[in-house]
Amino acid sequence: MIEGTDDLTGVEMVQLTDSIGDTYHPYFTKTLIDAENQYILLASNRSGAMQLYTMRFADGQMVQLTDETDIYPFSSVLDAQHHIVYYFAGRVLKSVRLDTLEAEALMEIPPGFKPSDLSIDNAGQYLAFSYVEVIEVCTQTSKIYSEMREKYFRRPTSIVIRYDLTKKSSLVLWGDQQWISHVNISPTDPNVVLFCHEGPWLQVHRMWTARVDHDKVYPLIDQKVNLERIGHEFFTASGRVGAQYSYRDQVGEEFYKHGDIFVNTDGSDERRYYYPYTRPSHVQMNYAENLGIGDRAPIRKDMKDHGNFLALLKYEGESVEVGLLCAHGTSWKSQMSHPHPIFTRDDKYVIFSSERNGRTNVYKARVDWDKTIKSDKS
């Protein structure tokens, strides 16, 4: 581990991984840190192929969990109570116990389909995910998301699954001729599953809920298509849903109003908080639900380099106070190098990924509101 401080704020920063290959954490809306705050689930290609690992916070010790081909690292998730990792290897849903490293195949999705990211409830009883039809596209380039519009308009068939880990059985919750992804099961109520219609944010209804007790789905937010864009939805620790959004008055105009939305899964108690300028990205909330973190920090109106920094966020009244916490310095060129910051379970640090030193590594920064550089509208 390499310790230091941020050049701008003096916030304590530690490079947790060792630059052997590329190492990053799976998707930021998933459970990745154990209940005792001792270790985190990571993915790394240090062995030559992308595999799953745990890393202990105390000393950086990493343990390799898998040795397989065709693993989907971003889809992996941790049962924080029972210390079991769930992941997809090709079309097969698998588990690996962290005490014995014993792996087990649980189910297989049909040929011609690809799994999305896994999600697990706090009790470790249920998983939720989708599988999506594999379709050929002609617009994909080396640029990230280049094929998104084409795939959205192709309307691939998608199925949403809740998997019972006790009974080892699957239940189909929903299916549609839509590209369905970002499936999240409620941490506190496993009868509720959140998912999105993937595609350009301003053209899709992103926040949908499915319930086990009926065969209907409901949009959580009455989104105005082409005027509002909503995304990066997530569950808070208490089971509320959070998401980022932007608004404009007419098609063709710039989006000028930016904020975060929080709402209960039944649509009640919706609250919107507005940023002074544009919004950060990949926002997540701490376990105490009194601070947020994002991987852009627009603290001035014409700030050109806000994408280089992490933002610490305070929600008050109808606004968000933004504090620049530290530099993450990533290039944003690949999904694995996106910072995707998350809080440790004690809320003392944020964990993020970055390729600031050439290789993608995992870092932590101490949460210190007093040291942040505040927005000039604070």
Side-chain angles (χ1 to χ4, degrees), residues 95-350:
S95 66
V96 57
R97 295 182 58 89
L98 301 191
D99 53 354
T100 64
L101 298 185
E102 178 184 358
E104 180 182 6
L106 301 177
M107 68 169 288
E108 185 173 351
I109 67 171
F113 290 82
K114 183 177 180 179
S116 74
D117 42 343
L118 288 159
S119 179
I120 193 167
D121 69 311
N122 281 347
Q125 186 174 355
Y126 296 98
L127 296 171
F129 64 95
S130 67
Y131 63 80
V132 183
E133 181 183 5
V134 176
I135 58 175
E136 295 184 359
V137 295
C138 64
T139 56
Q140 186 168 10
T141 66
S142 59
K143 185 178 180 180
I144 191 169
Y145 306 133
S146 57
E147 80 287 3
M148 177 174 280
R149 285 180 60 84
E150 182 184 5
K151 190 172 178 180
Y152 161 66
F153 285 116
R154 290 286 302 276
R155 311 290 190 204
T157 299
S158 302
I159 299 293
V160 179
I161 296 284
R162 191 186 75 163
Y163 187 86
D164 188 323
L165 290 163
T166 302
K167 298 178 180 179
K168 295 186 177 179
S169 63
S170 57
L171 174 67
V172 176
L173 286 183
W174 188 249
D176 209 342
Q177 298 299 125
Q178 293 278 356
W179 177 11
I180 292 176
S181 69
H182 289 78
V183 178
N184 288 284
I185 193 166
S186 168
T188 57
D189 182 0
N191 292 312
V192 177
V193 174
L194 176 75
F195 65 89
C196 85
H197 288 172
E198 186 64 271
W201 283 16
L202 72 167
Q203 291 183 317
V204 295
H205 282 280
R206 288 276 304 201
M207 298 169 65
W208 295 82
T209 51
R211 294 195 61 92
V212 173
D213 54 3
H214 57 68
D215 287 327
K216 294 182 180 179
V217 296
Y218 299 94
L220 270 180
I221 302 296
D222 184 18
Q223 181 183 344
K224 299 177 179 65
V225 174
N226 287 322
L227 297 181
E228 286 184 304
R229 54 187 183 194
I230 299 175
H232 291 153
E233 48 284 318
F234 62 93
F235 275 106
T236 69
S238 66
R240 280 170 64 75
V241 176
Q244 302 179 263
Y245 83 103
S246 298
Y247 180 81
R248 63 185 177 183
D249 294 316
Q250 295 183 19
V251 175
E253 292 182 349
E254 292 293 322
F255 288 88
Y256 70 91
K257 184 182 290 186
H258 307 276
D260 292 336
I261 301 172
F262 294 93
V263 62
N264 292 334
T265 56
D266 62 1
S268 64
D269 194 22
E270 179 187 320
R271 300 187 182 186
R272 301 193 180 201
Y273 301 87
Y274 298 96
Y275 287 99
Y277 304 115
T278 189
R279 57 170 175 77
S281 190
H282 303 116
V283 166
Q284 187 60 263
M285 184 165 273
N286 68 357
Y287 288 85
E289 298 190 17
N290 58 12
L291 286 175
I293 187 73
D295 50 15
R296 297 181 187 272
I299 60 172
R300 296 185 302 275
K301 183 177 181 179
D302 298 319
M303 186 176 180
K304 303 297 185 183
D305 61 347
H306 64 82
N308 296 332
F309 305 97
L310 296 184
L312 204 57
L313 311 170
K314 272 190 176 182
Y315 299 91
E316 297 177 347
E318 294 185 349
S319 63
V320 190
E321 188 177 2
V322 182
L324 187 157
L325 180 67
C326 64
H328 59 68
T330 196
S331 72
W332 296 97
K333 290 182 179 179
S334 69
Q335 268 284 354
M336 71 178 177
S337 67
H338 284 194
H340 289 157
I342 60 174
F343 287 89
T344 55
R345 286 188 178 265
D346 59 9
D347 289 339
K348 292 182 178 179
Y349 292 91
V350 291

Side-chain angles (χ1 to χ4, degrees), residues 58-86:
D59 55 11
Q61 182 185 45
M62 295 181 65
V63 176
Q64 185 172 340
L65 307 179
T66 59
D67 187 14
E68 303 183 59
T69 59
D70 205 16
I71 286 179
Y72 296 100
F74 265 113
S75 75
S76 309
V77 71
L78 170 70
D79 179 345
Q81 300 289 341
H82 303 104
H83 309 288
I84 302 171
V85 168
Y86 296 95

Side-chain angles (χ1 to χ4, degrees), residues 20-39:
I20 299 175
D22 296 296
T23 305
Y24 64 99
H25 65 71
Y27 205 60
F28 72 110
T29 63
K30 310 302 176 183
T31 306
L32 304 177
I33 298 175
D34 72 298
E36 292 79 32
N37 202 51
Q38 300 298 308
Y39 65 87

